[in-house]
Amino acid sequence: HQIPSKNSIMRSLLVSAFLLVMSSSAMAQDFDTGPCTPCGQGATPLTEKEGCTNLEAPLAGLVGTDTTCLNQQLVNFQIGCCQTAPFGYCTICPDGSTPPGLQNPVPTGEFAEGQDPTCEEWQFQPNSLTALFTDGDCSDTFIQRASFYCDCPGVEQECWLCPDKQPPTNPERGEAWATNSNCRGLEFLFSTMKANECTVVPQTFGIDFAAFCKCNGVEEPEEDACSFCPNGGTVTNPEDVYTDENAVFERKCRQAYEFAKYITTGPACNTLLLEAREVCKCSGGPSSSTMGGFASGMLIMMAMMVTMVVSILW
């Protein structure tokens, strides 16, 4: 398995949310025996989106039941060119067997605890077919990566958010700076990672997620790698809201100030708090930056690229 990059993880989270908004549920389709169409169920492609034109060309001569056709429909859905997916093409269990735990809950973090969809329900929700790293690969979809929740044979959980492999003690806490997910959602994301991907996620984001979500036995960071205000200053307008109405979580300046201690790298310190630093004021001068101009600029460009992807995409 490849090691995840920040962009690929961000993309998977954001695509997932977008697909969930587009269509909260669907049913498995009877695959069309007629000519292959770019989108599942013959839906019209979103051709106004970048990269979503001329989708018919590679499908010439194919019929709707061809594996190549269904796989391309999956790709088109995953990249945001289609609102419908070929539900049923990717099975829940990697070996194609019927999962013994069809009625088991899948704790995706999108719903309140106790209201999670069952495996049977979740397989028909769009975000179950989001690819984490590789489009058009059923084994890389969330439905198959998380298939251990459904008791699929030969599939085991390899990664946990908390070192003790228990749920975090603050599951509803919202991480609004890098992932726009609550801690239950982060717990689910970690659970879908392979062992070789597990330690890379917090390093890639530059965030101590286990401390932020208050995992048992994980202490609050003692030394701040990131300081929101220079020279030990404090935020002078703590109750000001710096997020706009489109934000997943409303955030105040005091929350950005508090979040800084969970950031573990200079690049993340600069990029993740950029929006807050435009609004939030510090005693003793402007809010601090830990990076030089070139590195900062490169990270801002990266963030802008991710934002551009988000505009078509959870």
Side-chain angles (χ1 to χ4, degrees):
H1 297 277
Q2 68 188 83
I3 299 299
S5 67
K6 181 176 180 178
N7 276 9
S8 62
I9 300 170
M10 281 292 293
R11 173 191 170 282
S12 66
L13 287 167
L14 295 165
V15 171
S16 176
F18 172 73
L19 295 177
L20 184 64
V21 169
M22 285 201 310
S23 175
S24 61
S25 63
M27 294 301 293
Q29 67 187 87
D30 294 324
F31 300 127
D32 193 350
T33 57
C36 180
T37 58
C39 299
Q41 305 173 49
T44 302
L46 305 174
T47 54
E48 71 278 6
K49 296 186 178 295
E50 185 177 356
C52 296
T53 58
N54 200 31
L55 298 178
E56 294 83 0
L59 308 178
L62 298 176
V63 297
T65 54
D66 289 339
T67 299
T68 303
C69 172
L70 295 170
N71 201 71
Q72 190 58 50
Q73 289 179 348
L74 177 64
V75 171
N76 292 342
F77 174 71
Q78 290 173 332
I79 64 177
C81 293
C82 296
Q83 292 186 340
T84 55
F87 290 105
Y89 170 57
C90 293
T91 58
I92 298 176
C93 294
D95 64 0
S97 63
T98 300
L102 268 179
Q103 299 308 311
N104 292 356
V106 182
T108 63
E110 299 153 359
F111 308 95
E113 190 169 3
Q115 298 179 12
D116 295 310
T118 64
C119 291
E120 186 173 25
E121 294 167 339
W122 195 55
Q123 66 177 318
F124 301 129
Q125 293 186 358
N127 56 342
S128 70
L129 291 180
T130 300
L132 202 54
F133 305 121
T134 307
D135 294 322
D137 181 355
C138 285
S139 68
D140 196 45
T141 58
F142 276 113
I143 190 65
Q144 288 199 3
R145 277 179 168 264
S147 58
F148 58 87
Y149 287 111
C150 310
D151 298 331
C152 286
V155 184
E156 296 181 357
Q157 184 173 348
E158 300 179 33
C159 180
W160 288 261
L161 168 63
C162 296
D164 64 355
K165 302 182 180 181
Q166 298 301 309
T169 63
N170 198 353
E172 299 305 323
R173 191 178 193 183
E175 193 286 289
W177 294 269
T179 64
N180 277 328
S181 174
N182 62 21
C183 287
R184 287 192 75 233
L186 287 170
E187 182 185 17
F188 176 72
L189 174 65
F190 272 77
S191 77
T192 65
M193 296 288 177
K194 303 302 180 184
N196 68 319
E197 301 163 353
C198 194
T199 57
V200 182
V201 177
Q203 295 172 6
T204 301
F205 278 111
I207 298 173
D208 189 341
F209 289 116
F212 176 79
C213 293
K214 300 190 180 301
C215 291
N216 287 315
V218 177
E219 298 180 356
E220 293 282 283
E222 293 182 1
E223 296 183 5
D224 296 343
C226 175
S227 176
F228 191 88
C229 293
N231 304 318
T234 59
V235 171
T236 58
N237 56 336
E239 297 305 314
D240 284 4
V241 175
Y242 67 85
T243 50
D244 61 27
E245 65 276 4
N246 297 317
V248 175
F249 299 106
E250 180 184 273
R251 281 294 175 255
K252 297 181 178 180
C253 289
R254 62 175 172 78
Q255 292 170 309
Y257 176 82
E258 294 165 358
F259 179 71
K261 68 181 177 181
Y262 299 106
I263 299 178
T264 59
T265 67
C269 182
N270 188 77
T271 305
L272 296 178
L273 299 176
L274 187 65
E275 181 183 7
R277 285 183 171 128
E278 292 178 352
V279 175
C280 306
K281 310 301 180 183
C282 288
S283 59
S287 53
S288 63
S289 173
T290 61
M291 299 183 58
F294 175 76
S296 174
M298 291 297 291
L299 281 164
I300 293 170
M301 288 178 64
M302 181 187 298
M304 290 176 64
M305 291 174 65
V306 173
T307 302
M308 289 173 64
V309 175
V310 174
S311 66
I312 65 170
L313 304 175
W314 240 295

